[in-house]
Each structure stands twice: as structure tokens, then as C-alpha cells.
Amino acid sequence: MIRKRSSLILCGTFLFVSWNAVLVLLLWGRTPQGQLGNGPRDLALMPTSDVVGDVIRMAESFESELGKQKEILSQILSHQSLWKPRPNRKRPKVNAPGQPVIPILVIACNRVTVRRCLDKLLQHRPSAELHPIIVSQDCGHADTAAVIASYGSKVTHLKQPDLSDIAVRPEHKKFQGYYKISRHYRWAISQAFRNISHSSVVIVEDDLEVAPDFFEYFRALLPVLKSDPSLWCVSAWNDNGRDGYVDPGKADLLYRTDFFPGLGWMLLREAWEELEAKWPASFWDDWMRQPEQRRGRACVRPEISRTLTFGRQGVSLGQFYDKYLKYIKLNSEFVPFTKLELSYLKEETYRSNFDKEVYGAAVVTYEDVKQGQLTGSGPFRLQYSSKDSFKVMAKNLGIMDDLKSGVPRTGYRGVVSFFYRGRRIYLAPPPGWTQYDPTWS
């Protein structure tokens, strides 16, 4: 910008000097009308009083114009500092214009261990301006509020104002916590999009620790999410991402999944405008997994998780935590996602390549996989034909066997991809799969 301005100033200076030089030459080249001769012919050339007046007016006009040009030149010279190089000066560092702001919304309640979450976010955050941290607290827990307040201006602390109990059916009284969580999510996300006017947000819970490339991951995938209407979220989580079930050499590998993973996920304002009006009273995450909300869209998820949960205690009473969640592998290798080519995630390209990879793989039996009798480097396809056969094989192989509206965790077109004893396994339906059966649950 400064270089462009300097060129314009130099061009203006040149035109100014050239114009005045031409004007002066023209005036000097005129017949000297104030100098009279001695002969009769000279008398004939004597100017009349009207001509003399014209010349005087021209001279006065010329003098006035010179004054104006002098003033303009002085203004040009006064801005010399913008285009004349300064010796021994370093240019100030300026953030590149046009970079999107992606806020992090931390959902908090009564865990003082929110400090672990916030410390990691602040440790790995590349820019406070590009990634403001908003902590939305429910529950009114004083000790947790004190922890959040201790970060001062490093975070924005919001407090959910409605702490009242929610009227529920008698049989749902034990689920009161889930109702309050759903109410809090709706309020907090609305604050980020409506009152603070962000266009995207990454939502994390107060019991999540983030990987070193957490911010890099979401910055790289924001344009992918914005440009592909067949996607509706980006998640940092792999439900089957336990150590030994992921390829340690594929930290840069990303997938499309039909299952909403949550646990560190990015949402666009447009998607929230669609969801907010019908937001559920409880169990918001399972509601997100219903076909009415998903509408055939997918999320992006990583091979190796960029979040790790350390919150065993909560409204779910540690469901899945001891068996699965505490063993999730958190990525430790920084992957420069913003420098990678991610167009392979586009729906048509991804689906075509995925189908070739899965259904071109050698078919093996459950016994071969379980007993380690596979030959070759893989990948291998293990086929299921019913809900029961899927659940039996998934459970016995150590991956999550539950389904939500017929969709298995991490599944894409019915296929669950995981690592087992050093080889890639695709637990897949028969060729020709068309759609999920919502009765599978």
C-alpha cells in the first residue's frame, strides 16, 4: 500500500514540474509587449489599453496559480516520509489483512479444572486477535468463577443468567442436568453468533485439553467447511482414536464422517441459524445426530484426535470414560495443515476415492483379524451384514459399538475405519450400500 502511494506522489510531483515548465516557456516565447520601438512600424504594433489589461490579468492569474502549485508541492513534500526510505529503520510487523477470526467458546460449569483447559488453549494459541477465548459459565459455581476471573483480559467471561431448575416429566427428573446443559449450549452459542457477531466458532468443553496444532487444524478447515455445503461441522475428535487404533504415522490424515463427533467442533453462523429455532430441551448431541438435523451432511474428523477429555465426573457419570475415552491418543506432532492441499475432502472426490479404497481391499474374516492371521500390509475389509453382526465384531475388536440413528461412531457410508495390530481395517457393509437404517440403535 505504501509503495503504491509513493508511486502516485512521485507521478504527481513530475506532472506538477512539467506543467509549470511548459507554462513558463510559453510565456517567455511570446512577443515582448511591454517593449516599444522607435519607428512607424513599431507604433503600429503598440498594444492598446485593453491588451495591456489582458496581459496584467494573465500575469496576476499566473502568479496566483504558481502560489497554489507551491502549496501543493509543499503538501507533497510534507508526506515524504511515506515514500522516502528511512535509513536504519525496521518496518513494523502487521498482521496480514483479511485473516478470519475464529473464537473459541469454552462451555464451563462447576469444574475448577477448567484451568487445565484454558492453560493449554493459551499455550498453543498463535494469536489473541484471531482466536479470542470466550468462557461461558453455567451453574453459578463460585470457585470455578474465581478460576476463570484469574485470567483477566486473556479471556471473556460470560455467565449464563438463568440458573433455575427446568420443569421436566417425572421420569426425566434424573436427567435434569442434561436439560440444563442443552439450555446453556443454546444461550452460549447464541451469544457468540448474535451478540458478539462472529461468523464461526469452535466449541470446547471445560474438560478438554487441546493439541499443539489445534488452532492450525481449524484455520485450515474453515475454508473447506465454508465452500462445501455437504459439510456442516469440523471436529477435532476421533471416537475410536485410542492408542493402538490409529496410525501413528498419519497425523495429517483427515476423514469425512456421517457421525457428529463433538468434543471440540466448529460451526458456522448459517448452520446455527438453521438449528437455533428448533434446539432441543435436552440431549442436544444425540439430537444433532438425527437425520432431520444432519440432512445427509458430513463432518470432518482427524485420524488422531486434537482434543483429549480429562473429565471423568459429569452428568454422564463417566459413561465410556474408563473403557474408551481416557485412552484416546492426543496428537503431539504439529501438522502445518494450512500449507497442505485439502481438496481431497470435497464430497465427490472423497467418496470416489473412499469407495475404491474400501471395496478394493481384500475381504477377511473376523477370526483372521482377531487372531492376527492377516498376510500383507493391507488395508483389509471386514464385512458386516446386520446390526447385530456389526455390534458383535465392533465390541470384540475394541471399537465403540453404539449407533445413533443407525450411524456408527466415525462411520462414513456405513464404514468404520480403524487400525488393528498395525494394519488398516475397514468394518464395512456389503457393496451397494445406500442409506442408514434409523432403527439400528
Side-chain angles (χ1 to χ4, degrees), residues 10 17 45 49 53 64 132 163 223 245 261 279 298-299 334 396 412 419 430:
L10 289 171
V17 173
L45 294 173
S49 60
S64 175
L163 304 181
Y245 285 79
W279 192 254
C299 295
F334 186 93
N396 290 334
Y412 177 71
F419 228 48

Side-chain angles (χ1 to χ4, degrees), residues 236-248 301-309 320-331 370 393-401 409-410 417-422 424:
W237 182 257
N238 176 0
D239 275 296
N240 289 314
R242 290 190 296 155
D243 201 5
Y245 285 79
V246 294
D247 188 343
R301 59 101 176 166
E303 168 77 0
I304 303 178
S305 288
R306 265 59 187 186
T307 53
L308 173 70
T309 178
F320 299 128
Y321 184 83
D322 290 329
K323 189 173 182 180
Y324 296 104
L325 303 184
K326 72 177 182 180
Y327 300 108
I328 294 292
K329 178 180 175 61
L330 180 66
N331 182 61
K370 185 67 176 177
M393 287 190 284
K395 183 176 182 179
N396 290 334
L397 291 173
I399 63 173
M400 299 190 78
D401 65 338
R409 290 182 185 267
T410 76
S417 173
F418 62 99
F419 228 48
Y420 192 81
R421 296 186 177 182
R424 174 68 58 191

Side-chain angles (χ1 to χ4, degrees), residues 232-286:
W232 72 316
C233 88
V234 174
S235 174
W237 182 257
N238 176 0
D239 275 296
N240 289 314
R242 290 190 296 155
D243 201 5
Y245 285 79
V246 294
D247 188 343
K250 295 288 186 179
D252 61 342
L253 181 59
L254 305 177
Y255 296 83
R256 293 174 70 102
T257 176
D258 299 321
F259 190 90
F260 170 72
L263 294 176
W265 53 288
M266 179 163 60
L267 183 72
L268 299 180
R269 176 198 291 271
E270 293 80 6
W272 178 244
E273 289 174 347
E274 171 192 325
L275 297 171
E276 182 183 18
K278 55 179 181 175
W279 192 254
S282 64
F283 306 106
W284 69 270
D285 48 352
D286 284 343

